Amino acid sequence: MKKTIIASLLLGLLTVPVTTVTAAESTLSGAMSQTGLAATTNNLGQFSHWLPQVMQRFNSLPEVQAQAAHRQQALLSVEAADQAVYNPELGLGYQNASEDTYSLDISQRIDWGDKRGVATRIAQLESEILLSNITLERNQMLAERLQALTNQSQARKALEFQKQQFNLAKGQLDIARQRTEVGDLSSVELQLMQLDVASNAADYALAEQASIAADGQVLALFGEFDLPFADFVNALTVQAAHLEISPELPALKSAYQQVLVAKVTAEQAKADGSADPSISLSAEREGGENKFGVGVSIPLQIRNNYSEAIAVASQGVAIAEQTYLAQERVLLQQQKQFLLSLPRLTQRYQDWSELVLTSGTQAAQSLSQQWQAGDINTSDYLQSQRQMSGSYLAGLALESALYESWLSWMGTSGQLEGYLNSQLSTQGATAAAPERAQ
């Protein structure tokens, strides 16, 4: 919270003019207390203020609804696999001879190699793979949409700042014209002030376009662009991310389950190669004589013993294991990059805040006053204004980089949705505690 308050102080000081405050500047100063980084002070990290509405809109998206249908399909596939492999066979016969013969046969093949059990296990694993993929995909989709919301928020801050800078520059230009009329300012300096206004107008126009593009991105991802959102930059910490790389991590769970599927597939190849016997019961009436019989048939695996199919399935295990190790290596590299980038970005952001507190505020307090008093020339004044403006925009850029680094890792590793749900649960329990006390 300290760093956002510092940023808002700089933003406010940049818009407070000097000893003589015009009406336009007074209005601008009031607007600054409700916009920009200062607006994040009370809502910082309060997910409960906006996340439930965003998650509700996210879950209603067609692509997310399609994932729910895939989830149901996966559960049904397990039920379908857990059915008997062989159905009984019924045979009826009639033979026209000197004595008519009628026959009835019932046969049932026995699943001696447990094909049903293996198929059920494979279906369960494939269902878990699908669910893991859905979980990871949901996290990545959620990270993409939260990134769009943060980009929109940052673009709106920049737009509001550039608008205020433009209004301030126009107010200073009016003062410059008055000073020129009384001979306190040269025509060249007045032209510099006019160029500064033109430059601020261009920056304002570009900020408008960036804000429109950010709104368009949110619109494309959510179907609407005016969604509740509050900054949560104080939650962007390494501690918020589960750092242990294990097969249970959503980013690796699917690949690990592929290894299990490959192993069960090898068992399936053995089951398919097993000789499943058939048992039959028969009843026959020949003339006035009734006959009953019992039969057993066993396939002879002479022409094909399925050894090659078993060998192929065994190679599939090795391939799945190496694929898992490759994905684990990539995730470890991404984790390493995250652990290197986020702490450094956080430290640079804190350094920026401290420098703003020690030097930026002091400069902003006296800059316009000294220019009106003639203690500094117009060129130095404009250059200093640009430096302070650049300082604020640098803070916005650092915030954006923090969001991008954190959301990218949390989405890639599949931890984002779980973390956000835990935050909502924690804040809900905290909010309920005072009510129980009453």
Side-chain angles (χ1 to χ4, degrees), residues 11-306:
L11 190 55
L13 288 170
L14 287 175
T15 61
V16 175
V18 285
T19 54
T20 303
V21 181
T22 66
E25 290 166 344
S26 178
T27 303
L28 176 60
S29 179
M32 286 310 303
S33 63
Q34 301 177 359
T35 56
L37 291 181
T40 68
T41 302
N42 295 327
N43 296 328
L44 202 59
Q46 299 299 309
F47 294 105
S48 60
H49 292 173
W50 59 273
L51 188 58
Q53 297 91 320
V54 170
M55 289 302 300
Q56 182 180 6
R57 185 69 186 93
F58 173 75
N59 288 323
S60 65
L61 294 173
E63 50 266 49
V64 178
Q65 292 293 315
Q67 289 178 336
H70 280 300
R71 186 187 299 270
Q72 184 63 27
Q73 184 185 41
L75 298 177
L76 291 174
S77 66
V78 177
E79 296 180 7
D82 191 23
Q83 301 295 321
V85 178
Y86 302 117
N87 286 312
E89 295 182 6
L90 175 64
L92 298 174
Y94 167 74
Q95 184 176 4
N96 185 9
S98 59
E99 295 184 350
D100 293 343
T101 303
Y102 303 89
S103 63
L104 174 66
D105 299 301
I106 297 177
S107 63
Q108 173 66 61
R109 180 174 290 187
I110 300 175
D111 185 12
W112 197 262
D114 194 22
K115 293 181 175 65
R116 175 182 177 180
V118 173
T120 302
R121 180 57 180 156
I122 289 179
Q124 289 173 340
L125 288 172
E126 290 179 344
S127 174
E128 292 175 7
I129 290 172
L130 180 58
L131 296 179
S132 299
N133 289 335
I134 289 175
T135 299
L136 181 59
E137 186 178 354
R138 277 180 61 89
N139 277 270
Q140 293 172 346
M141 291 169 60
L142 185 57
E144 181 184 15
R145 281 155 178 79
L146 286 184
Q147 184 65 62
L149 288 175
T150 59
N151 292 342
Q152 182 188 50
S153 176
Q154 299 297 89
R156 287 178 175 179
K157 291 178 191 177
L159 174 61
E160 185 61 28
F161 176 74
Q162 295 294 358
K163 176 183 177 181
Q164 293 161 352
Q165 288 296 96
F166 175 59
N167 291 334
L168 176 61
K170 289 195 297 183
Q172 296 294 69
L173 178 59
D174 292 336
I175 296 175
R177 286 169 178 162
Q178 295 174 8
R179 292 181 60 187
T180 303
E181 290 177 359
V182 299
D184 189 33
L185 206 67
S186 68
S187 59
V188 174
E189 290 176 304
L190 177 61
Q191 291 173 354
L192 289 176
M193 295 295 293
Q194 291 173 336
L195 291 175
D196 181 64
V197 172
S199 178
N200 277 281
D203 292 338
Y204 181 28
L206 292 176
E208 280 185 317
Q209 294 302 311
S211 182
I212 292 172
D215 288 344
Q217 185 184 23
V218 173
L219 178 63
L221 293 174
F222 281 100
E224 56 183 301
F225 68 90
D226 193 11
L227 291 168
F229 180 77
D231 287 326
F232 55 100
V233 69
N234 64 332
L236 308 181
T237 62
V238 171
Q239 291 75 18
H242 179 74
L243 300 178
E244 181 182 357
I245 302 299
S246 69
E248 292 302 314
L249 203 61
L252 290 177
K253 192 172 183 179
S254 176
Y256 180 73
Q257 289 167 332
Q258 291 283 3
V259 177
L260 300 181
V261 168
K263 292 180 179 180
V264 178
T265 301
E267 297 178 7
Q268 185 182 38
K270 296 178 181 178
D272 291 339
S274 64
D276 293 340
S278 296
I279 298 178
S280 62
L281 299 175
S282 62
E284 183 177 308
R285 181 176 180 82
E286 184 177 354
E289 183 180 2
N290 295 327
K291 300 179 181 180
F292 298 94
V294 177
V296 177
S297 63
I298 300 176
L300 298 178
Q301 296 179 345
I302 298 175
R303 301 183 64 186
N304 184 5
N305 60 7
Y306 299 96

